[in-house]
Amino acid sequence: MLGRALPAPLAELLADLGNMTVALPVLLLAAGRSGWRARTAPLPRRWLPPLAAVVAMALVPALVGPLQAALARPAPPGALAGETGFYPSGHAATAAVAYGAAALLLLPYAAAPYARRLLITAALVLVLATGPGLVVRGYHWPVDVLGSWALSAALLTVLYGVLHGIRPRPGAQQAPVTRRSAAPRGRPASGGPS
């Protein structure tokens, strides 16, 4: 049904959004822009976000490749039938991490609420459009794409934590800090008899 609604040339174009040659330049442009915008910040703070995003992208093939080899999932019927190594989808993970990380890098510089919504929406559209393209073209099963999105969500959550820090929720109770007396051991803290 999806194949009839999505013509093959369009499906191929959408599948190509997950190619490293398409997605990586988007991430690198966002990383460069983020580094440039933060050029007045102290050196570690300036380059931590772009570096963390590039490391997250480098983790995609480092995680997906061994998983594909270990699971040896067969290809869907079609041109790739008989081959294995299709779960999780490398293209879906590449698209999700590249476009998601690019959005996370640029989000602090989108001051207007509509610009922030537009940035997040664009990243989601690019990520979600890749999946149907991969399935319709017969490159992956739907579960291959879903597995990649789950892996990518984990990577992007860690990246978000690195970029924005893990902060306690507002209003959350924190454990009280207790101070010990500065009196030496063996002596009472008060001025009473020893």
Side-chain angles (χ1 to χ4, degrees):
M1 184 163 119
L2 184 61
R4 282 182 260 151
L6 195 60
L10 178 59
E12 187 68 34
L13 178 70
L14 296 176
D16 285 345
L17 290 172
N19 281 343
M20 195 65 85
T21 55
V22 175
L24 187 59
V26 172
L27 176 60
L28 293 177
L29 283 171
R33 178 72 174 156
S34 172
W36 177 255
R37 290 292 304 260
R39 67 188 177 277
T40 58
L43 192 57
R45 182 66 191 137
R46 182 181 332 159
W47 290 109
L48 177 63
L51 180 62
V54 169
V55 167
M57 189 72 238
L59 285 173
V60 169
L63 294 171
V64 169
L67 280 170
Q68 287 177 336
L71 297 172
R73 179 176 173 80
L80 302 172
E83 295 185 37
T84 61
F86 287 81
Y87 180 88
S89 165
H91 283 78
T94 296
V97 172
Y99 304 132
L104 288 175
L105 286 173
L106 297 176
L107 210 50
Y109 305 108
Y114 74 88
R116 296 171 70 83
R117 283 192 296 273
L118 181 64
L119 184 61
I120 292 168
T121 301
L124 282 172
V125 165
L126 290 171
V127 170
L128 295 176
T130 306
L134 292 167
V135 172
V136 168
R137 292 301 296 150
Y139 299 142
H140 285 284
W141 297 97
V143 75
D144 301 346
V145 174
L146 293 174
S148 291
W149 287 345
L151 175 66
S152 301
L155 285 172
L156 290 171
T157 300
V158 171
L159 177 62
Y160 181 85
V162 169
L163 296 181
H164 301 286
I166 306 298
R167 298 183 187 109
R169 289 178 294 142
Q173 294 265 336
Q174 293 185 1
V177 178
T178 59
R179 294 188 77 177
R180 289 198 160 168
S181 135
R185 287 186 161 223
R187 293 190 184 177
S190 65
S194 355

